[in-house]
Every structure is written in C-alpha cells, then in structure tokens.
C-alpha cells in the first residue's frame, strides 16, 4: 500500500493510515473505527429509540444479513478458494478488525449446515454496554448472509445460547431455510398495520360508544309542559337498544312528574321508519297505561301511517292528533282544564 504514512501487515491483513487526508485503509479499502462502548452504543441506542425495539432488531438483522451476503458472494466468485478456506479467511479478517473470535464448526457442504461459536464480539460488547439481557441478531444474521452467498442458497440460523446470558460463548446453528429478510420486513409491516388497524378500530368503537351515550342523553327528552302533561318527542331512527332505553327512561320518570297524559310527538322520527319505531310506540304506550298514564300520539306522518297499517301492531287504542298543540289541548281538556 504505497502512499500511506503508516503501513502494517498483521497475519496477512493489510492496514494503512494517511493522517493528512484522514484515511484509514483496511485490506485496501476505506474503513472507519468506532469506540464500542460509547459511539457504537449511542448509534444502537438511537436507532432503538427512534424505531422501537422490535423494528430496530429487524433493522440490525436485515443489515447484518445483507452485508454478509455481499461478502459471501465475493468469496464465492473466487473459484480457487473452497468454502472452508473462505470461512477461515473471513473469520480471521473479522477478528483483525475487532469483531471478536468466531469459529466455524461442523461445516457440511452437502447439507449446507454448520455451527458458529462466537466470543466477545463487538455486538456482544455493545449489548453489555446497553445493559441488555438478550443478545443481538446482527452477527448471527451476518454469517447467515455470508454462507448464503458461499453456498448459493438461502441460509438461516437458530441461536442455541447467547454469551450475554452468562455463557462463555454464543452458539448458533445454521441451515438451509425459506426464511428471507424481505419476508421478515413485510411481516413486520403487516403486523404494524394490523396493530394500527386494531388501535383505530378500538378508537372508533370508543368514540361510537361515546356518541351513542351523547345521543341517548340528548335525544327523546322528557318535557313536562303543564301539570299532569308530559311530552316525549321521538327523534331520528330507533334500533332495539335505543328503543328499550327510551322505554326504561320514560317509565322511570313519569311517576316523578305525576303525569296523567303522555304525549308522544312523532314529528321528528326518521323518514325510513323501521319496525322498532312502530313497536316502540306500542310498547311505551302500553307500559305507561300500567302506571296510570294515558298516551296521546301526535305528528303521525303519511309514511308512518303506512308503516303502521302494514304492521300487526294496533295503535287504535291511542288517541291521535295531527299537531302537538292539538294533543296538549286535548289532554288538558280531558283533565277538566283549559288554556286561557
């Protein structure tokens, strides 16, 4: 390596420094050096802080695999070098770069399986500095990428033990598998989408429930217009739940008003009147009669009239008037009073 201020070769690995241009050369290429327990730890911490633990783990795993794949494919093109020789060259090169000790055992080219023994890797040291209880996936995935390139087939891994768990070293088994980094990324994306959808559904359900409560509070109020006369306007559309709540609410309130007449104002009913609305009118009127309150119906539209005639519910037992004013006047008259 001519032209560099300092040049060293250590066990066949070339290092060079050109301090004037600020370059560090490792095996003929530009490289950089980082302090593990400070700079690298901060780098990992920041990624996890921004992305979250699950997503950052996938980032490290995917990056490790893809970087390893580049290395493996490079050595695979060197036809004069066997897989075993390439594996030894790679691990020695990594050791010289401060990646820690890695030993490849039980390498079987036929089954494309092997076991990696890792000790004091830079990733382990970063995880120790982070105070982690579980080891990382960058280096395990990296060697999966390396041998995917060397074998020409997709290799994946299973961590049998982590040094971080108190063992002397980490043990990782490698084998052919259909697992791909792209699939893992898509699965995480779909998982995040599903979680977001569930959150939105939960929020919609919560807001819908709040809206229903508000509608129940605001709709169909009980209005004591005169002594002994209570008006309940039916507003909007009624399903079974809303109809039942109105019946309970009205019957609970009528005794406190000492109402002799209940005037149901049907003017505000939804134009698309369903069977629940017709049934509600009959039920609330019959129930009011049981506590001594007579029911008067006002504001029956032509649409409601058709719906009533087509149903099996008989509302003939109730007095009916066109307007609310007529109904109130009738109730007052029946009690022997009149509005002056």
């Amino acid at each position: 390596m001519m032209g560099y201020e300092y040049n060293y070769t250590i066990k066949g690995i070339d290092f060079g420094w050109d301090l004037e241009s600020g370059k560090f050369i490792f095996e003929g290429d530009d490289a950089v050096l980082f302090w593990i327990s400070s700079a690298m730890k901060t780098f990992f911490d920041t990624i996890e802080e921004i992305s979250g633990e699950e997503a950052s783990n996938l980032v490290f795993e995917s990056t490790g695999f893809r970087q390893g794949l580049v290395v493996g494919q490079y050595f695979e093109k060197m036809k004069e070098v066997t897989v075993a020789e390439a594996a030894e060259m790679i691990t020695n090169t990594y050791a010289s770069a401060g990646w820690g000790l890695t030993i490849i055992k039980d390498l079987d080219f036929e089954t494309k399986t092997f076991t990696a023994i890792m000790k004091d890797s830079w990733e382990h040291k970063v995880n120790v500095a982070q105070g982690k209880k579980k080891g990382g996936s960058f280096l395990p995935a990296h060697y999966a990428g390396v041998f995917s390139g060397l074998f020409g087939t997709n290799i994946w891994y299973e961590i049998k033990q982590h040094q971080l768990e108190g063992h002397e070293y980490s043990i990782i088994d490698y084998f052919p598998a259909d697992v791909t980094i792209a699939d893992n990324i898509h699965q995480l994306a779909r998982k995040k989408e599903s979680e977001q959808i569930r959150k939105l559904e939960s929020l919609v359900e919560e807001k819908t429930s709040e809206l229903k409560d508000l509608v129940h509070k605001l709709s169909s109020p009980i209005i004591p217009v005169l002594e002994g006369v209570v008006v309940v306007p039916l507003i909007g559309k009624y399903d079974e739940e809303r109809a039942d709540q109105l019946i309970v609410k009205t019957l609970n309130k009528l005794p406190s008003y000492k109402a002799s007449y209940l005037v149901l104002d049907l003017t505000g009913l939804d134009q698309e009147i369903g069977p629940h609305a017709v049934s509600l009118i009959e039920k609330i009127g019959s129930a009011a009669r049981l506590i001594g309150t007579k029911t008067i119906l006002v504001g029956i539209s032509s649409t409601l009239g058709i719906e009533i005639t087509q149903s099996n519910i008989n509302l003939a037992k109730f007095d009916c008037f066109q307007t609310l004013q007529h109904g109130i006047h009738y109730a007052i008259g029946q009690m022997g009073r009149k509005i002056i």
Side-chain angles (χ1 to χ4, degrees), residues 221-242:
I222 299 175
I223 307 169
V225 291
L226 291 169
E227 183 179 351
V229 181
V230 170
V231 173
V232 174
L234 303 188
I235 303 170
K237 193 171 185 176
Y238 286 84
D239 55 17
E240 185 175 6
E241 179 186 1
R242 190 181 176 209

Side-chain angles (χ1 to χ4, degrees), residues 225-226 228-231 260-265 267 294-299 319-335 337 339:
V225 291
L226 291 169
V229 181
V230 170
V231 173
S260 299
Y261 283 88
L262 168 63
V263 181
L264 291 180
D265 187 357
T267 308
K294 298 178 181 178
T295 299
I296 299 172
L297 306 181
V298 301
D319 294 310
C320 301
F321 295 91
Q322 187 174 6
T323 66
L324 176 60
Q325 184 180 11
H326 291 153
I328 293 174
H329 276 284
Y330 174 78
I332 293 173
Q334 292 299 303
M335 292 188 294
R337 293 180 291 170
I339 299 177

Side-chain angles (χ1 to χ4, degrees), residues 37 51 60 70 80 129 197 238 242 256 272 297 332:
S37 60
S51 304
F60 299 142
V70 172
E80 70 280 6
I197 289 172
Y238 286 84
R242 190 181 176 209
S256 63
E272 296 181 4
L297 306 181
I332 293 173

Side-chain angles (χ1 to χ4, degrees), residues 16-142:
W17 287 265
D18 183 349
L19 300 184
E20 290 187 3
S21 61
K23 283 187 177 183
F24 167 56
I25 303 301
F26 177 70
E27 279 292 88
D29 283 325
D30 282 344
V32 293
L33 299 175
F34 289 103
W35 286 284
I36 291 175
S37 60
S38 55
M40 288 297 291
K41 173 185 177 298
T42 301
F43 177 70
F44 273 51
D45 286 343
T46 303
I47 292 177
E48 291 182 5
E49 180 183 356
I50 295 172
S51 304
E53 184 175 358
E54 186 176 22
S56 61
N57 286 340
L58 182 56
V59 169
F60 299 142
E61 183 179 66
S62 302
T63 304
F65 181 90
R66 287 172 173 170
Q67 287 184 356
L69 187 61
V70 172
V71 174
Q73 289 173 340
Y74 170 79
F75 277 91
E76 193 272 335
K77 294 176 182 178
M78 300 170 63
K79 301 303 181 183
E80 70 280 6
V81 177
T82 67
V83 172
E85 291 172 338
E88 185 176 1
M89 292 172 63
I90 292 169
T91 54
N92 287 341
T93 301
Y94 286 178
S96 69
W99 282 41
L101 175 65
T102 300
I103 300 173
I104 304 300
K105 295 180 59 178
D106 303 325
L107 180 61
D108 189 325
F109 188 79
E110 295 298 323
T111 61
K112 295 179 173 53
T113 58
F114 65 96
T115 297
I117 308 296
M118 298 184 192
K119 185 175 182 180
D120 297 333
S121 70
W122 63 262
E123 185 174 29
H124 168 71
K125 294 174 183 177
V126 169
N127 292 156
V128 170
Q130 290 178 302
K132 292 286 187 69
K133 301 299 182 183
K134 182 179 179 182
S137 57
F138 181 96
L139 284 177
H142 182 78

Side-chain angles (χ1 to χ4, degrees), residues 150-170:
L150 289 175
F151 286 138
T153 188
N154 198 72
I155 301 297
W156 202 240
Y157 68 94
E158 180 182 358
I159 299 173
K160 308 303 289 187
Q161 69 178 45
H162 255 307
Q163 185 179 354
L164 197 64
E165 298 166 348
H167 302 286
E168 185 179 355
Y169 43 76
S170 299

Side-chain angles (χ1 to χ4, degrees), residues 193-251:
E193 289 173 357
S194 297
E195 291 174 352
Q196 188 63 25
I197 289 172
R198 284 195 294 271
K199 288 180 181 179
L200 291 174
E201 287 176 343
S202 177
L203 180 61
V204 169
E205 185 177 345
E206 178 184 343
K207 294 303 180 183
T208 300
S209 178
E210 291 177 359
L211 182 59
K212 281 186 176 180
D213 290 341
L214 180 61
V215 169
H216 292 154
K217 290 177 182 179
L218 297 179
S219 66
S220 303
I222 299 175
I223 307 169
V225 291
L226 291 169
E227 183 179 351
V229 181
V230 170
V231 173
V232 174
L234 303 188
I235 303 170
K237 193 171 185 176
Y238 286 84
D239 55 17
E240 185 175 6
E241 179 186 1
R242 190 181 176 209
D244 289 343
Q245 288 182 348
L246 177 60
I247 293 172
V248 172
K249 176 183 175 183
T250 302
L251 295 181

